Amino acid sequence: MTKENQPSLAQQRKDDHVNLALEQQSKLQTSAFDDIRFMHHSFSEVKFDQIDTSTQWANTTHRFPFYINGMTGGSTYTKQFNDSLSTLAHVTGLAMASGSVSVALKEPEVRDSFTIIRKNNPNGFVMANLGAHHDLENAKRAVDLLEANALQIHLNTPQEVVMPEGDRYFSTWKENIQQIVEGLDVPVIVKEVGFGMSKETMEELISLGVKNIDVSGRGGTNFVNIENDRRDTIDFSLLGEWGQTTPESLLESLSLQKEVNILASGGVRSFYDIVKALALGAKATGLSGKLLQTVHLEGVDAATKIVLDWEKAIKHMLLLLNCHNIQELQETQLLLRGPLREYAELREID
Ligand code: FNR
């Protein structure tokens, strides 16, 4: 709350994002993940108890090949969601990112909506999150606030453009990213926010020294539509399909996966989508909207059960695909169809 005890514009925006994202989740239907199939082979020789679903990224070995991606914090209302999500992270061992802590750097009264993440989960892998307009000094403040193990830097030009109060100048971003990667003593993950990435963007990030990229593609939470719902003038809903889907972004990353850890998020709905993203080369998969909805509608205990069931289901999928681990999964034969296949042809990706 501000001095007048009214939420600031930034605090109100955080509440809007959660409410509109929850509304979107209930309406999602088709997904580009449905354009991916696995080739079935009739023999499997791996031993179930030797299957390993752990994965490495951001200089760390993670038990789960999925994590709670950056979402929220910054208001009294959103603190409740960080309370639930960080409890889920603590109970299961999932890595978790906060939403952008930018608001807490300016409005100290909302800091506890972020620090609760570390308080609930003292030993877990926690990522702080900031936009790319922030410099190294703010990056250090963000990491300190959460005693974070890593920092996510988000790229979100479509969101800013459609956001009524959004930024209109992005020219410092690359320089900030380079300085943060060089100067911060925890790993940095650069992520999109649901618009996906091109190979060209990823090549630029690699040239800036970035070692972990979350392509965060279209197909789930859609920030053009969220920000469009928050504005009165100019209807930007025509841009509702802006950006690359998550599978398309993973195709974009194929030739770069030896140089950089690719993470995938955006529209991941199930263990099956996770396995498909891993097979396309992701080291792990981030979930936002789906887990937000799950803790909201079903509570932390039910979400915990789902997470542990997914871990088991992923193991069963590896058995079916004759793979001991995530690396072997990345050699699996995939069949692409429909718009995803067309995209691969258009971009000349084999
Ligand atoms: C987000 N996302 C996000 N990302 C980020 O880097 N910083 C942020 O502050 C936020 N805020 C935020 C709020 C809410 C309510 C949601 C649901 C999401 C974007 C998120 O990390 C992810 O990139 C996209 O949501 C796409 O993934 P899903 O939601 O389709 O799984």
Side-chain angles (χ1 to χ4, degrees):
M1 297 287 156
T2 56
K3 275 179 224 143
E4 300 82 27
N5 234 15
Q6 289 292 318
S8 68
L9 179 61
Q11 293 172 26
Q12 184 60 52
R13 180 169 65 243
K14 302 298 163 183
D15 294 356
D16 292 348
H17 286 172
V18 165
N19 289 332
L20 292 167
L22 284 171
E23 225 175 88
Q24 283 186 351
Q25 275 301 310
S26 62
K27 294 182 194 150
L28 288 177
Q29 284 167 344
T30 57
S31 162
F33 281 107
D34 298 337
D35 289 340
I36 305 170
R37 291 164 59 206
F38 288 95
M39 190 71 201
H40 170 63
H41 299 291
S42 304
F43 293 111
S44 177
E45 280 140 309
V46 304
K47 295 195 172 64
F48 187 65
D49 59 358
Q50 288 174 4
I51 294 173
D52 176 9
T53 54
S54 69
T55 181
Q56 287 84 35
W57 50 275
N59 301 347
T60 305
T61 297
H62 299 266
R63 166 178 157 187
F64 293 91
F66 54 100
Y67 58 93
I68 305 170
N69 214 353
M71 274 183 272
T72 202
S75 65
T76 310
Y77 174 61
T78 57
K79 180 180 174 184
Q80 301 165 41
F81 288 89
N82 273 343
D83 189 9
S84 300
L85 292 164
S86 56
T87 304
L88 175 65
H90 177 62
V91 174
T92 57
L94 281 180
M96 172 178 173
S98 71
S100 174
V101 301
S102 191
V103 53
L105 301 183
K106 289 181 225 128
E107 301 173 23
E109 68 272 23
V110 298
R111 278 192 191 146
D112 63 343
S113 66
F114 293 100
T115 52
I116 192 167
I117 293 174
R118 181 49 90 197
K119 200 170 145 214
N120 283 349
N121 188 15
N123 304 313
F125 190 90
V126 168
M127 295 169 269
N129 182 300
L130 269 187
H133 59 286
H134 286 280
D135 62 9
L136 175 61
E137 197 195 318
N138 279 353
K140 287 182 177 166
R141 290 172 67 201
V143 168
D144 287 348
L145 184 71
L146 283 170
E147 299 165 57
N149 305 84
L151 177 74
Q152 290 187 329
I153 302 177
H154 65 257
L155 310 177
N156 66 339
T157 54
Q159 180 185 7
E160 295 292 342
V161 164
V162 180
M163 188 192 300
E165 70 275 26
D167 281 348
R168 297 292 178 261
Y169 301 92
F170 311 120
S171 59
T172 57
W173 285 14
K174 286 195 223 168
E175 198 184 325
N176 287 336
I177 290 170
Q178 187 161 27
Q179 284 179 3
I180 292 170
V181 170
E182 280 169 11
L184 204 65
D185 54 14
V186 296
V188 171
I189 300 117
V190 178
K191 72 183 286 289
E192 257 289 348
V193 299
F195 301 104
M197 279 196 202
S198 64
K199 181 179 176 188
E200 291 82 351
T201 299
M202 290 182 257
E203 283 172 341
E204 287 197 86
L205 289 173
I206 291 169
S207 77
L208 299 173
V210 174
K211 301 274 190 291
N212 303 279
I213 295 176
D214 172 2
V215 298
S216 201
R218 176 164 60 80
T221 306
N222 183 319
F223 270 97
V224 158
N225 291 338
I226 286 180
E227 298 301 349
N228 196 53
D229 284 347
R230 298 183 57 248
R231 61 183 299 139
D232 306 323
T233 59
I234 315 182
D235 180 9
F236 278 106
S237 61
L238 288 171
L239 304 190
E241 301 229 327
W242 189 268
Q244 289 83 258
T245 66
T246 305
E248 286 168 356
S249 305
L250 285 168
L251 292 179
E252 293 285 322
S253 78
L254 283 177
S255 63
L256 306 172
Q257 290 175 357
K258 286 200 169 62
E259 292 170 75
V260 64
N261 293 323
I262 295 293
L263 307 171
S265 67
V268 176
R269 304 160 296 177
S270 64
F271 69 87
Y272 198 16
D273 289 346
I274 295 173
V275 176
K276 288 176 179 179
L278 299 173
L280 273 175
K283 290 270 160 65
T285 302
L287 292 107
S288 295
K290 174 73 190 171
L291 288 179
L292 188 75
Q293 184 194 41
T294 306
V295 295
H296 180 63
L297 295 182
E298 300 181 48
V300 175
D301 289 348
T304 301
K305 184 171 181 310
I306 290 171
V307 164
L308 298 177
D309 281 352
W310 281 7
E311 184 186 38
K312 281 189 212 129
I314 292 167
K315 255 190 184 168
H316 285 78
M317 291 284 307
L318 262 65
L319 175 67
L320 182 57
L321 292 163
N322 194 25
C323 298
H324 289 95
N325 51 44
I326 308 288
Q327 286 89 311
E328 288 183 13
L329 185 57
Q330 299 179 347
E331 305 299 318
T332 305
Q333 281 173 296
L334 295 173
L335 302 171
L336 307 187
R337 60 185 168 193
L340 187 60
R341 185 182 178 138
E342 251 171 57
Y343 182 91
E345 283 165 10
L346 209 64
R347 292 285 281 171
E348 298 178 359
I349 299 165
D350 285 330

